[in-house]
Amino acid sequence: MTRNGLVLATLLLAAGCSGGGMEEENPGSGGGSGGGNPTVWHQASVSHNDGGWISPPSLSIAVGQQGTFTLSLDEGHQLSRISGCGGSLNGLSYTTAAMTADCVVTAQFGLQLYQLQVEVLGLRYSSLAAAQAKG
């Protein structure tokens, strides 16, 4: 092999040993080099009817991590039901369980209910009444 060919071969070999072009997002916790795994992400999306909103409309959450959605109610409405992603509700915040797969948070909003109490000639009557939708 000529001197130029040897220099070229050495440079190519050195460049090939310098490592890859992709870094790991989640390096291993043990000492030494390498050993980590790339982060796996899952999608948590939302579905809801009229009467309120969930934001953001979706989250990309790393496996094993939790995500939080914020609920907003339209005037005269309440949250009737919410479920999905193994989550829990605290006030108007819905937090997913630790992510293991893609999932959907589903919320149902309904008209706000009010307690009505009417007294007529000494008789008492109570009932629940739904607010009328404005429009």
Side-chain angles (χ1 to χ4, degrees):
M1 185 180 290
T2 67
R3 184 173 180 196
N4 287 343
L6 185 57
V7 170
L8 181 60
T10 304
L11 288 174
L12 289 174
L13 182 60
C17 293
S18 66
M22 186 173 97
E23 291 186 30
E24 295 175 348
E25 293 181 42
N26 185 18
S29 58
S33 62
N37 294 320
T39 301
V40 176
W41 298 88
H42 291 295
Q43 191 76 14
S45 55
V46 300
S47 173
H48 60 83
N49 64 333
D50 290 339
W53 295 93
I54 305 174
S55 60
S58 66
L59 289 172
S60 291
I61 306 168
V63 69
Q65 299 298 308
Q66 296 175 294
T68 300
F69 292 96
T70 302
L71 285 76
S72 300
L73 304 173
D74 290 347
E75 186 176 339
H77 289 80
Q78 67 182 7
L79 177 66
S80 300
R81 191 175 78 170
I82 189 165
S83 63
C85 300
S88 61
L89 183 65
N90 183 8
L92 291 177
S93 293
Y94 188 80
T95 302
T96 69
M99 296 297 284
T100 58
D102 291 349
C103 59
V104 178
V105 172
T106 303
Q108 248 186 323
F109 299 101
L111 292 174
Q112 178 71 44
L113 297 178
Y114 296 94
Q115 177 73 39
L116 245 201
Q117 191 168 24
V118 179
E119 193 169 336
V120 179
L121 301 172
L123 300 174
R124 217 171 231 201
Y125 175 75
S126 294
S127 71
L128 290 178
Q132 291 185 356
K134 295 181 180 180

